[in-house]
């Protein structure tokens, strides 16, 4: 049975590699942000493969959607990326990793950091040319201190990203709060946009931005007062970074110039 399953996966991957569309792998693609990434990559015309521990999304609303039928859902643990079948990353144009979670310090550092480090190291070893990491906006203290493992892990993963993918081939996407509909306990919807959308509209206003970034608001508070962004905007920005042309400023770059998309860069994709 296992051999049959492996052969079926292999045929699907080989079929995609033989097509003219770019093959994109989303690590953590069955989750909240990951599913938006898969959807955006499908819309871009890519052959999309998701690798996550559970495989297909648990939420029926996602699993039964039209775009989900265009994705090949694979099972694999990011912490064991070196053990993935060769076919998982064979012929891949680019990888987007969005593995992350909240919990205790050591747990967050392991999931947000070590898991993504292993993905980028393995992707580089297998010849993948480009990569994107869904990182996080640094709010500074006190939030950074309260979630130290989370932010330490993200920083660790960014270092691995840029070590393996320099010269604009690697991009770190740093959203603040991400809103949309998250599904928990199977298919129970949680409308994060009820909070996130107002924060995006208010703090994303250019007049408000000018006031926040002016001399009136202290620097520490400026880092906290950033707009929320939608999962769809994060996904669009990430897929564009992965599949679009590398900006000219990164040409002939020695690796010191890191390609980072901040909150305002992400917001520029919300109306596309």
């Amino acid at each position: 049975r296992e051999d049959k399953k492996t052969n079926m996966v292999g045929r699907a991957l080989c079929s995609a590699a033989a097509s003219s569309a770019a093959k994109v792998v989303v690590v953590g693609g069955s989750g909240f942000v990951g599913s938006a990434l898969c959807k955006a990559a499908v819309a871009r015309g890519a052959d999309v493969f998701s690798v996550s521990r559970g495989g297909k999304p648990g939420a029926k609303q996602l699993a039964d959607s039209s775009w989900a039928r265009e994705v090949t859902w694979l099972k694999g643990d990011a912490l064991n990326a070196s053990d993935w079948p060769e076919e998982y990353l064979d012929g891949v144009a680019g990888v987007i990793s969005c593995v992350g979670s909240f919990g205790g310090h050591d747990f967050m550092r392991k999931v947000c950091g070590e898991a993504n480090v292993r993905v980028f190291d393995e992707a580089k070893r297998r010849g993948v040319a480009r990569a994107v990491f869904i990182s996080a906006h640094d709010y500074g203290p006190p939030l950074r201190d309260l979630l130290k493992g989370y932010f330490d892990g993200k920083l660790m993963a960014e270092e691995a990203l840029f070590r393996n993918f320099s010269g604009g081939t690697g991009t770190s996407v740093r959203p603040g709060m991400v809103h949309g509909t998250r599904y928990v306990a199977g298919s129970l919807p949680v409308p994060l946009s009820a909070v996130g959308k107002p924060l995006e509209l208010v703090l994303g206003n250019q007049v408000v931005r000018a006031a926040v970034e002016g001399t009136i608001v202290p620097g520490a508070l400026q880092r906290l007062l950033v707009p929320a962004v939608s999962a769809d905007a994060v996904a669009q920005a990430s897929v564009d970074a992965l599949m679009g042309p590398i900006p000219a400023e990164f040409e002939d770059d020695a690796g010191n110039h890191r390609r980072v998309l901040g909150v305002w860069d992400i917001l520029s994709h919300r109306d596309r």
Side-chain angles (χ1 to χ4, degrees):
R1 182 179 298 177
E2 187 65 28
D3 289 343
K4 181 178 180 181
K5 180 180 178 182
T6 301
N7 289 337
M8 290 176 64
V9 170
R11 286 197 296 272
L13 294 168
C14 290
S15 175
S19 73
S20 58
K23 178 180 172 182
V24 170
V25 170
V26 179
V27 185
S30 61
F32 170 48
V33 174
S35 59
L37 289 164
C38 289
K39 179 181 178 181
V42 166
R44 188 67 177 258
D47 278 320
V48 184
F49 294 78
S50 166
V51 181
S52 61
R53 289 186 301 171
K56 200 170 185 179
K60 182 177 175 61
Q61 295 93 323
L62 295 176
D64 291 345
S65 60
S66 59
W67 62 264
R69 291 192 287 271
E70 302 298 320
V71 177
T72 300
W73 303 97
L74 306 172
K75 289 187 177 183
D77 190 336
L79 285 166
N80 299 317
S82 60
D83 294 332
W84 290 354
E86 289 295 325
E87 294 86 355
Y88 277 29
L89 295 175
D90 184 40
V92 171
V95 167
I96 306 177
S97 189
C98 58
V99 178
S101 188
F102 292 101
H105 169 79
D106 292 340
F107 173 78
M108 290 190 290
R109 197 172 190 275
K110 181 177 182 180
V111 175
C112 299
E114 187 176 339
N116 291 294
V117 169
R118 294 186 184 186
V119 168
F120 294 132
D121 285 349
E122 190 62 19
K124 180 66 174 181
R125 188 186 73 80
R126 299 197 196 184
V128 177
R130 293 173 72 169
V132 169
F133 174 52
I134 308 303
S135 187
H137 170 74
D138 186 355
Y139 289 95
L143 186 58
R144 199 190 195 291
D145 298 328
L146 292 172
L147 296 173
K148 189 174 186 301
Y150 179 84
F151 288 105
D152 284 356
K154 292 288 189 179
L155 179 60
M156 182 195 310
E158 283 195 3
E159 291 299 321
L161 170 74
F162 293 123
R163 181 177 67 249
N164 288 298
F165 299 93
S166 59
T169 61
T171 305
S172 177
V173 180
R174 297 175 180 171
M177 176 188 177
V178 180
H179 67 83
T181 301
R182 178 189 288 271
Y183 295 96
V184 299
S187 298
L188 179 65
V190 177
L192 298 178
S193 291
V195 175
K197 189 61 178 178
L199 288 175
E200 176 182 339
L201 292 175
V202 174
L203 295 176
N205 182 284
Q206 290 295 335
V207 175
V208 175
R209 179 187 183 185
V212 169
E213 295 180 352
T215 58
I216 300 176
V217 180
L221 189 55
Q222 288 183 18
R223 299 175 76 172
L224 291 172
L225 295 177
V226 295
V229 293
S230 69
D232 288 338
V234 173
Q236 188 64 57
S238 301
V239 171
D240 283 353
L242 188 76
M243 302 183 67
I246 296 174
E249 61 262 34
F250 294 98
E251 292 181 2
D252 301 320
D253 183 65
N256 296 321
H257 192 183
R258 296 183 169 190
R259 190 178 178 191
V260 174
L261 299 182
V263 174
W264 290 100
D265 299 308
I266 298 168
L267 279 179
S268 69
H269 290 76
R270 62 183 169 184
D271 298 323
R272 296 187 181 183

